[in-house]
Amino acid sequence: MCGIVGYTGHDKAKDIIIDGLKKLEYRGYDSAGVALMEDGGIQVRKKAGGSGTGGIANLEKAVAKEKFRATTGIGHTRWATHGQPSDVNSHPHASYDGEIAIVHNGIIENYRELKDQLEKKYGIEFVSDTDSEVIAQLIRVLYDGDLEHAVRKAVKKMEGAYTFAAIAKGEPEKIVAYRKDTPLIAGIGKDCNFIASDMTALLQYIDDFYLIDNGEMVVETPDRIKILDPAGKEVTREPLKVTWNQEDAEKGGYSHFMLKEIHEQPKAVQETVSRRIGKDGKIVLDGIKLTLKDLKKFNKICIVACGTAYHAGLVGKYVIEQMARIPVEVDVASEFRYRDPFVDDKTLFIAISQSGETLDTLMSLREAKGKGARILSIVNVVGSSVARESDDVFYTWAGPEIAVASTKAYTTQLVCLYLLALYMADLKGTITREYYDEILSELKAMPARAKRVLKKADKIEEMAKLLYNRDQIFYIGRGIDSSLAYEGSLKLKEISYINSFAIAAGELKHGTIALMEPDTTVIALATQDRLFDKMYANVEEIKARHAHIVSIAKSGNKKIKKVSDDVITIPKCRDEVTPILSIIPLQLFAYYIARERGENIDKPRNLAKSVTVE
Ligand code: G6P
C-alpha cells in the first residue's frame, strides 16, 4: 500500500529519498512527504496530489528550491485509509513538539483508544485525521533520549498492521524502523544505509539488503545496521543480493510502465519457462518439492488470490483439473478467509500473488496453514511474505512490475500454473508423454508467438480510437476463455473507468442479453476450437441485437469474421494454452482506450498495486 524510504549517510537525503519514493509510487500516490534532519531540528514537507498529479510531483515542486543539507531522513508515499488525501494527513507525522517524526504503512486498529489516552493524559492536540499520527505522539511521550527504547515500548501498545520508520531530533544520524505485517527491507549502501518498503526504491544505490521479519526492529546509522528480534536480541543474518536491475524499474522509452510491461511479456515468459526445463527436456520445479506420495495424499487443491492473480487461478483450475485430474477450488482471498473453508492436511493450497504482500492472500494462507494444508505459492517478489510463509515457492521471475494494472505478472503466473499442472500430471501418470511434450513445446513457443501478437498493437490502437467513448463494454467467452474475459474486463475498467462486465457466454441468455442493443460493445473470446460452435451461436445471438462485436480468435478462423465487426487473431496453438496469447490484445485494447481518454494509466484513481489492508 503506502511506500516508505529512509536514508542515513553523507549525501543529501532529500534527493535520495524523493528518488526512492518515485520508484515506490506504485504503492500509493495520494500524497507524499519527507522528514529531514536539518540543523538540529526535523523539517517536514508534505503534499497531497491534485488532479492529474501525484503527491510526489507536488512534493518535488514544493521543495525544489529548498537547499537542505540533511544527510538523514525518511519519506513516504501514501494510499489513504484513515483521513482523506490532504497535506495535513500526508506523512511524515511529527510529534506535537517536533521532536519525533514517523512514516507508516498499515493501519493502527486501536488508534482511537490510544488517541483518547494521549489527549486526556498529556493534553496532546492531534492535527490530522489519520491513525498514523498516534505513532509519532506515542513514541514522543515514551521517549527519554533513546529512540530504540521508545519504539520498543510503543509497539507493545499498538494493534493492527504497522510497519513504520521513526527519527528523533536528539539522535540526528539514526533511523529506527519496525515491521509488522507489511514489508520492510534494510538496504546496505557504501558508508550509508537505507530502509524501504521494497528494493525497487533502492536499485540504483544498493547491491545487498536484509529482509526484515515480522516483529523485528532495525536501527540504522550511516555505518551500521542492527536488526533486533521481538525480544530485543540482536539478530545476525545473511544479506540477500538484489536480483533486479535499475533499467527494469524504468520506462525505457515507453510512454507508460504498463505498455513497457505488456511488451516485456515475451521475455518474461521465456525466463519463466527456460529456468524450469532440465537437461532431459523435462520440467524441473525449483523451489517445489512435491512427490507422488504428496500428490496421492491431496484430495483437492484450493487456489486463493486477489484481482488479476485470481483470474490466473481461474485458468489454473481448468488446466490442473484437465491435466492432473485433481479437483480445484478457486476463491478470492477476501472471501476464502471468512467462509470457514473445508481445508485440512489433504489439501494443497496454492496462493498466487505478484507482490506476495496482499494482506487477504496472506491471511488466507495463514488460515489454510493453521488447518494443516500444504502451502505452495506462485509469487513474483522474492522473499515476500507469501513466499516466506509457504512450504514451496514457485517464482514467476517476471522482473519488477510497476504499473498498477498487472500484465506480465499474469502471463507468467499462467506459465507457472501450466508447468505445475504438467508436472503433477506427469507424476500421477494422468497424461501421456506425447501430450506432455506437446504442451511443453507449446510453452516454449510462446515467447515468439507473443511477439507476433504484439505486432498487432497498431491495429488495436485504431480499434481503440473508434471505441474509446463507449459507456460500457462486455467481455464474453466459453471454457478457459471465460476466465480471460474476466481479466480483460478488469484491465479495461481499472485504467479507463469504462463500465465493464464479463460473463460466460453461455450464461448471457439468462439475463445479461437483456442489455444488448445497438452500440453495445462486446469483446468475444472465441479461441477454443472445442467450443467454437457454441461460442459462434452466442456471438450470433448478440449480433442479432446489433451489438458491435470484436472477436479474438485463432489465426485462420474465417467463420468468426461473418459475425464480427473486427477480429484480432492469435497464432494457432492448442486450446489449453491460448490464454498466454489472447490476454495480450485485451491488455493492449485497455491500454489504448485509456490513453485515448487521457487517463493516468500507470496510476489509476483509487487503486494501489500492493494492497496490504483488508
Ligand atoms: C491490487 C492490484 C492488482 C492485483 C491485486 C493482487 O488490487 O491493483 O493489479 O492483481 O492487487 O495483487 P498481488 O500482488 O497479490 O498479485
Coordinates of all heavy atoms in Angstrom, one line a residue, residues 305-310 352-358 361 401 403-406 409 413 490-491 494 607-611, ligand 1:
A305 N -6.4 -16.1 -4.3 CA -5.7 -14.9 -4.8 C -6.6 -13.8 -4.9 O -7.8 -13.9 -4.6 CB -5.0 -15.2 -6.1
C306 N -6.1 -12.6 -5.3 CA -6.9 -11.4 -5.5 C -6.7 -10.8 -6.9 O -5.6 -11.0 -7.4 CB -6.5 -10.3 -4.5 SG -6.7 -10.8 -2.8
G307 N -7.7 -10.1 -7.4 CA -7.5 -9.3 -8.6 C -7.1 -10.2 -9.8 O -7.6 -11.3 -10.0
T308 N -6.0 -9.7 -10.5 CA -5.5 -10.4 -11.6 C -5.0 -11.8 -11.3 O -5.2 -12.7 -12.1 CB -4.4 -9.5 -12.3 OG1 -5.0 -8.4 -12.8 CG2 -3.6 -10.2 -13.3
A309 N -4.4 -11.9 -10.1 CA -3.8 -13.2 -9.7 C -5.0 -14.2 -9.6 O -4.8 -15.4 -9.9 CB -3.0 -13.1 -8.4
Y310 N -6.1 -13.7 -9.1 CA -7.3 -14.6 -9.0 C -7.7 -15.1 -10.4 O -8.0 -16.3 -10.6 CB -8.4 -13.9 -8.3 CG -9.8 -14.5 -8.4 CD1 -10.1 -15.7 -7.7 CD2 -10.8 -14.0 -9.2 CE1 -11.3 -16.3 -7.8 CE2 -12.0 -14.6 -9.4 CZ -12.3 -15.8 -8.6 OH -13.5 -16.4 -8.8
I352 N -1.6 -17.3 -5.1 CA -0.9 -16.6 -6.3 C -0.9 -15.1 -6.0 O -1.9 -14.5 -5.6 CB -1.7 -16.9 -7.6 CG1 -2.0 -18.4 -7.8 CG2 -0.9 -16.3 -8.8 CD1 -2.8 -18.7 -9.0
S353 N 0.3 -14.5 -6.1 CA 0.4 -13.1 -5.8 C 1.6 -12.5 -6.4 O 2.7 -13.1 -6.3 CB 0.5 -12.9 -4.3 OG 0.7 -11.6 -3.9
Q354 N 1.5 -11.5 -7.2 CA 2.6 -10.8 -7.7 C 3.5 -10.3 -6.6 O 4.7 -10.6 -6.6 CB 2.1 -9.6 -8.6 CG 3.2 -8.9 -9.5 CD 4.0 -8.0 -8.7 OE1 5.3 -8.0 -8.7 NE2 3.4 -7.1 -7.9
S355 N 2.9 -9.5 -5.8 CA 3.7 -8.8 -4.7 C 4.1 -9.7 -3.6 O 5.1 -9.5 -2.9 CB 2.9 -7.6 -4.1 OG 1.7 -8.2 -3.5
G356 N 3.3 -10.7 -3.3 CA 3.5 -11.6 -2.2 C 3.2 -10.9 -0.9 O 3.5 -11.3 0.2
E357 N 2.5 -9.7 -1.0 CA 2.2 -9.0 0.3 C 0.7 -8.7 0.4 O 0.3 -8.0 1.4 CB 3.0 -7.6 0.3 CG 4.5 -7.7 0.2 CD 5.1 -8.4 1.4 OE1 4.4 -8.6 2.4 OE2 6.3 -8.8 1.3
T358 N -0.1 -9.1 -0.5 CA -1.5 -8.8 -0.4 C -2.1 -9.4 0.9 O -2.0 -10.6 1.1 CB -2.3 -9.3 -1.7 OG1 -1.6 -8.7 -2.8 CG2 -3.7 -9.0 -1.7
T361 N -4.6 -12.3 0.8 CA -4.0 -13.6 0.4 C -3.1 -14.2 1.5 O -3.2 -15.4 1.8 CB -3.1 -13.3 -0.9 OG1 -3.9 -12.6 -1.9 CG2 -2.6 -14.6 -1.5
E401 N 7.2 -5.3 -11.6 CA 6.0 -4.8 -12.3 C 5.6 -3.6 -11.6 O 5.3 -3.6 -10.4 CB 4.9 -5.9 -12.3 CG 3.8 -5.6 -13.2 CD 2.7 -6.6 -13.2 OE1 2.0 -6.7 -12.1 OE2 2.4 -7.3 -14.2
A403 N 3.5 -0.8 -13.1 CA 2.1 -0.3 -13.4 C 1.1 -1.0 -12.5 O 1.3 -2.2 -12.2 CB 1.8 -0.6 -14.8
V404 N 0.1 -0.2 -12.0 CA -0.9 -0.9 -11.1 C -1.6 -2.0 -11.8 O -1.8 -3.1 -11.3 CB -1.8 0.2 -10.6 CG1 -3.1 -0.4 -10.0 CG2 -1.1 1.1 -9.6
A405 N -1.9 -1.8 -13.1 CA -2.6 -2.8 -13.9 C -1.6 -3.9 -14.2 O -0.6 -3.7 -14.9 CB -3.2 -2.3 -15.1
S406 N -1.9 -5.1 -13.7 CA -0.9 -6.2 -13.8 C -1.0 -6.8 -15.2 O -2.1 -7.1 -15.7 CB -1.3 -7.3 -12.7 OG -0.4 -8.3 -12.8
A409 N 2.9 -10.0 -14.9 CA 2.8 -11.0 -13.8 C 1.8 -12.0 -14.1 O 1.9 -13.2 -13.8 CB 2.5 -10.2 -12.5
Q413 N 2.3 -15.9 -14.3 CA 1.6 -16.8 -13.4 C 0.9 -17.9 -14.1 O 0.9 -19.1 -13.7 CB 0.5 -16.0 -12.6 CG 1.0 -15.1 -11.5 CD 0.1 -13.9 -11.2 OE1 -1.0 -13.8 -11.8 NE2 0.5 -13.1 -10.2
L490 N -11.4 -6.6 -16.3 CA -10.7 -5.9 -15.2 C -9.7 -4.9 -15.7 O -9.6 -3.7 -15.2 CB -10.1 -6.9 -14.3 CG -9.3 -6.3 -13.1 CD1 -10.2 -5.6 -12.1 CD2 -8.5 -7.4 -12.4
K491 N -8.9 -5.3 -16.7 CA -7.9 -4.4 -17.3 C -8.6 -3.1 -17.7 O -8.1 -2.0 -17.4 CB -7.2 -5.0 -18.5 CG -6.1 -6.1 -18.2 CD -4.9 -5.6 -17.5 CE -4.9 -5.5 -16.0 NZ -4.9 -6.6 -15.2
E494 N -10.1 -0.9 -14.8 CA -9.2 -0.3 -13.8 C -8.5 0.9 -14.4 O -8.1 1.8 -13.6 CB -8.3 -1.3 -13.1 CG -7.3 -2.0 -13.9 CD -6.6 -3.1 -13.2 OE1 -6.6 -3.2 -12.0 OE2 -6.0 -4.0 -13.9
L607 N -6.7 3.3 -6.8 CA -6.1 1.9 -6.7 C -4.6 2.0 -6.2 O -4.0 3.0 -6.3 CB -6.1 1.3 -8.1 CG -7.4 1.1 -8.8 CD1 -7.3 0.5 -10.2 CD2 -8.3 0.2 -7.9
A608 N -4.2 0.9 -5.8 CA -2.7 0.7 -5.4 C -2.3 -0.6 -5.9 O -3.1 -1.6 -6.0 CB -2.6 0.9 -3.9
K609 N -1.0 -0.8 -6.1 CA -0.5 -2.0 -6.7 C -0.5 -3.1 -5.6 O -0.8 -4.3 -5.9 CB 0.8 -1.9 -7.2 CG 1.4 -3.1 -7.9 CD 2.1 -2.9 -9.1 CE 2.3 -4.1 -9.9 NZ 1.1 -4.6 -10.7
S610 N -0.1 -2.7 -4.4 CA 0.1 -3.7 -3.4 C -0.9 -3.4 -2.3 O -0.8 -2.4 -1.6 CB 1.5 -3.7 -2.9 OG 1.8 -4.6 -1.9
V611 N -1.9 -4.3 -2.1 CA -3.0 -3.9 -1.1 C -2.7 -4.6 0.2 O -3.1 -5.8 0.3 CB -4.3 -4.2 -1.7 CG1 -5.5 -3.9 -0.8 CG2 -4.5 -3.5 -3.1
Ligands
G6P1 C1 -4.2 -5.0 -6.4 C2 -3.6 -4.6 -7.8 C3 -4.0 -5.7 -8.8 C4 -3.5 -7.1 -8.3 C5 -4.1 -7.4 -6.9 C6 -3.5 -8.6 -6.3 O1 -5.6 -4.9 -6.5 O2 -4.1 -3.4 -8.2 O3 -3.3 -5.5 -10.0 O4 -3.9 -8.1 -9.2 O5 -3.8 -6.3 -6.0 O6 -2.1 -8.3 -6.1 P1 -1.0 -9.4 -5.9 O7 0.3 -8.7 -5.6 O8 -1.4 -10.3 -4.7 O9 -0.9 -10.2 -7.1

